[in-house]
Amino acid sequence: MALKPPLMDLPIATAEKGFYRGFSIDVTIASKVIISAIVVWAIFWPTQSGSVLNGLNSFILANFAAWYIYCVAFFILVCLGLALWPTAGRMNLGLEGDKPEFTNFSWFSMMFGAGIGVGMLTWAVAEPVSHFASNPETIQGLSTGGDADNVRNAYKWSFLHWGFGAWACYAVCGLSLAFFSYRRGLPLTIRSGLTPLFGTALSGVLGTVIDIVAVVATILGVAQTLGFGVDQFVAGLTRIGIGGLTDDTGGASTFGIIVALLIIMGASTLSALSGVGKGIKWLSNINMVLSIILLSFFIIFGATWFGFNAMFVGLWDYVTALPGMSFNVFKSDGVEGSEAFLLAQWQGWWPVFYWAWWIAFAPFVGLFLARISRGRTIREFVLGALIVPALMCFVWFAWAGGTAIDLELNGGANGVIFDAANGDKIFAMTEFMLAPINVWLAWGMALLIVVLLMTFLVTSADSAVLIVNTINAAGDEGPKSRPHILFWGAALGLVVAGLLISGGTSAIQTAMVIGALPFSLVMVLMCVSLIKAIYNDGRREAAGVATLTDPDEAFVAPAE
């Protein structure tokens, strides 16, 4: 049977006039209704919403923990396989002669800033410290929490959560979207990644449902990031002398949450209005430079040798243990307090939570990666998106987290860092290091961290707003989407505010784990679809059948 050319036309119905001109009415309105309902429910019925969300979360952790673990392991294998597969590796994510739009520095900066950057300022210190106190090895009695023999375990697990698994989630989603949009001329939206499996049926209800799931997952995933960031932003503002933003427990007050979100979402909306090539690009470059300055401080003036050892020994431990950690599922015996129960509980708190977070984040980061990666080969994309940002995360964890652990073990911190709230740990650490030298140095470092945190938060939020609008507009980023940027900027801020006020970051975490579940299935299908497409394109090329769209009909992002 003769090979047929691939599907290169996927019509998506959009409004021709009115406020929603150029937008898919079904996707846009359904997404807005779902997100609005979550906001209203969380704010006006906090007790009921908290109870229902916790019940659903418990059900998912009890029944789908293994699914999340195996999904992410599958994504890592797909990425590595595509990079090594000759047919796939050489394919260009674009048409013949297409070259990358952005330099490698800007590409890595935008990738890191939108994908994970904001988490570094909280978790690069907080997570190694947390795993230093407790991890599966301490639960099984193989090491002692808080002792020097547990440092390597702390880094092994920290690297697992922020390493190749996280970036594999982003890479498979971004690669699928770039492949089908820039080689086949299909809309830059999630449903296009499933065309080899479902064909033109994706123009109808099935495609609409897929895009709605992606929008909801994106909003909840970014809300999780902003929720952590708002707590830390308020802690930072307090450290530099702006009072009245915390409550009696030292956490962010309702007023503090509102002030932080007004600043962050206001700046992010303005940046989003300027587009990827202007505001987001420049913000990403700025936060990369500030990140290098802050990281250099920890490397030079922090625990230099401790961090060096944590980086390379931790990387070795992580890579050698990765197969086992990626596929191991702890099963609870139902006996509260037993070793099996505690191990399963720990896995739900950490790996399962992170895998859900990265999956929920994947439609946003994946579509953003696709948008900035046109003209790169599949091998270049996979290795660049999988390895470079992961190594950057490892460097942060090694020297920022390593400095915190070393100061507590050997530097006389005596709990100043360990006892601080997660978002405040980096501020407590820099103050402990610099205040004895000069209090203004400590204040200046706190200010630098606050500015860096804000640029990361704004980059994540404005990128998310643009991506949501792109999905709603059937892959089009044109000027017509700008009025809706204001809506989604406000909606994202209200989701974060509503869930934080009603139940804190745990409420956002629960909603995000639930929202990520349906999109995890979409991502698995995207992997299968991509592999099928590349295999068939290899056969088509050998048979002389066209695999690229006509340049005149290819998807081109409108001028910013």
Side-chain angles (χ1 to χ4, degrees):
M1 182 175 179
L3 284 169
K4 296 180 180 179
L7 178 66
M8 298 188 187
D9 183 32
L10 185 66
I12 300 175
T14 56
E16 296 182 0
K17 59 182 179 179
F19 182 70
Y20 288 102
R21 183 175 64 86
F23 281 76
S24 167
I25 296 285
D26 295 338
V27 174
T28 306
I29 299 227
S31 301
K32 288 181 176 180
V33 168
I34 293 170
I35 294 300
S36 299
I38 291 172
V39 170
V40 171
W41 188 39
I43 292 176
F44 292 100
W45 291 278
T47 303
Q48 182 196 53
S49 62
S51 175
V52 172
L53 287 173
N54 286 332
L56 286 171
N57 188 51
S58 298
F59 174 80
I60 288 174
L61 292 181
N63 296 280
F64 291 95
W67 167 257
Y68 277 121
I69 297 294
Y70 295 144
C71 274
V72 174
F74 175 61
F75 298 153
I76 295 174
L77 292 175
V78 169
C79 285
L80 295 177
L82 291 176
L84 295 173
W85 185 8
T87 300
R90 62 179 170 76
M91 286 186 177
N92 189 304
L93 296 174
L95 305 179
E96 292 294 336
D98 278 356
K99 300 296 181 183
E101 177 183 357
F102 301 101
T103 65
N104 285 338
F105 181 81
S106 291
W107 186 51
F108 291 134
S109 297
M110 287 190 283
M111 225 175 356
F112 185 74
I116 275 180
V118 65
M120 289 295 94
L121 295 180
T122 299
W123 297 108
V125 177
E127 185 153 345
V129 165
S130 181
H131 298 326
F132 181 58
S134 177
N135 58 60
E137 281 74 17
T138 63
I139 293 172
Q140 297 173 87
L142 303 175
S143 62
T144 305
D147 282 356
D149 71 332
N150 200 36
V151 171
R152 292 178 67 168
N153 293 323
Y155 276 94
K156 178 178 71 175
W157 290 104
S158 296
F159 286 2
L160 173 71
H161 301 147
W162 294 80
F164 302 145
W167 291 94
C169 293
Y170 302 158
V172 295
C173 193
L175 185 56
S176 173
L177 290 166
F179 183 92
F180 290 105
S181 293
Y182 300 138
R183 288 181 63 86
R184 304 245 171 119
L186 299 177
L188 186 61
T189 187
I190 303 299
R191 71 177 81 183
S192 295
L194 301 180
T195 49
L197 298 180
F198 301 107
T200 54
L202 292 165
S203 290
V205 174
L206 177 61
T208 298
V209 171
I210 289 169
D211 282 348
I212 292 170
V213 166
V215 170
V216 174
T218 296
I219 293 297
L220 294 177
V222 177
Q224 177 69 59
T225 298
L226 294 180
F228 285 133
V230 163
D231 271 353
Q232 189 170 37
F233 191 62
V234 169
L237 292 176
T238 302
R239 288 276 182 176
I240 62 175
I242 300 176
L245 304 178
T246 58
D247 55 25
D248 294 338
T249 65
S253 64
T254 299
F255 177 71
I257 291 170
I258 293 172
V259 169
L261 284 172
L262 284 174
I263 295 171
I264 294 164
M265 296 313 302
S268 66
T269 302
L270 290 174
S271 177
L273 286 169
S274 70
V276 174
K278 297 176 184 176
I280 296 175
K281 174 184 174 181
W282 283 107
L283 275 174
S284 298
N285 289 342
I286 289 169
N287 61 38
M288 181 60 79
V289 171
L290 292 178
S291 295
I292 292 171
I293 293 172
L294 180 59
L295 188 57
S296 298
F297 168 77
F298 291 128
I299 293 174
I300 298 170
F301 300 105
T304 305
W305 175 248
F306 189 101
F308 184 87
N309 188 64
M311 173 68 189
F312 292 99
V313 175
L315 183 58
W316 169 259
D317 289 343
Y318 164 64
V319 171
T320 55
L322 183 59
M325 292 191 298
S326 296
F327 288 96
N328 183 50
V329 177
F330 294 117
K331 298 288 187 180
S332 175
D333 59 5
V335 180
E336 189 168 350
S338 69
E339 180 179 297
F341 178 88
L342 293 174
L343 287 170
Q345 184 182 59
W346 187 92
Q347 190 168 53
W349 285 345
W350 290 99
V352 173
F353 157 66
Y354 271 121
W355 296 165
W357 189 2
W358 306 145
I359 288 169
F361 227 40
F364 146 53
V365 182
L367 206 154
F368 185 73
L369 289 184
R371 171 65 184 83
I372 64 175
S373 300
R374 182 170 186 166
R376 297 183 183 272
T377 66
I378 289 178
R379 182 174 294 112
E380 183 183 9
F381 178 94
V382 169
L383 296 180
L386 191 67
I387 295 176
V388 175
L391 289 176
M392 189 67 178
C393 291
F394 298 161
V395 170
W396 267 96
F397 276 79
W399 273 278
T403 297
I405 294 173
D406 187 51
L407 288 174
E408 289 285 0
L409 280 177
N410 308 306
N414 296 322
V416 169
I417 303 168
F418 283 6
D419 294 342
N422 285 336
D424 197 35
K425 278 183 168 61
I426 193 168
F427 295 105
M429 178 172 66
T430 53
E431 182 172 319
F432 177 79
M433 294 170 67
L434 295 173
I437 301 172
N438 187 302
V439 68
W440 288 106
L441 280 176
W443 184 88
M445 182 58 71
L447 179 63
L448 183 147
I449 296 171
V450 168
V451 173
L452 176 58
L453 177 62
M454 182 174 174
T455 62
F456 272 136
L457 288 169
V458 170
T459 301
S460 293
D462 61 11
S463 301
V465 169
L466 283 175
I467 293 318
V468 165
N469 271 290
T470 299
I471 297 173
N472 287 336
D476 190 354
E477 299 174 278
K480 68 182 183 308
S481 69
R482 293 189 176 186
H484 298 271
I485 288 174
L486 299 174
F487 172 86
W488 284 110
L492 182 55
L494 287 172
V495 168
V496 177
L499 291 172
L500 277 178
I501 292 169
S502 66
T505 54
S506 61
I508 302 179
Q509 176 178 330
T510 300
M512 182 269 300
V513 170
I514 296 167
L517 185 59
F519 192 70
S520 66
L521 176 59
V522 174
M523 285 183 62
V524 170
L525 294 175
M526 290 173 82
C527 290
V528 175
S529 181
L530 181 62
I531 293 169
K532 179 181 178 181
I534 292 173
Y535 172 72
N536 284 334
D537 274 10
R539 295 173 62 213
R540 290 186 181 104
E541 288 179 355
V545 178
T547 61
L548 301 177
T549 187
D550 187 315
D552 295 331
E553 299 177 3
F555 174 88
V556 177
E560 307 276 358

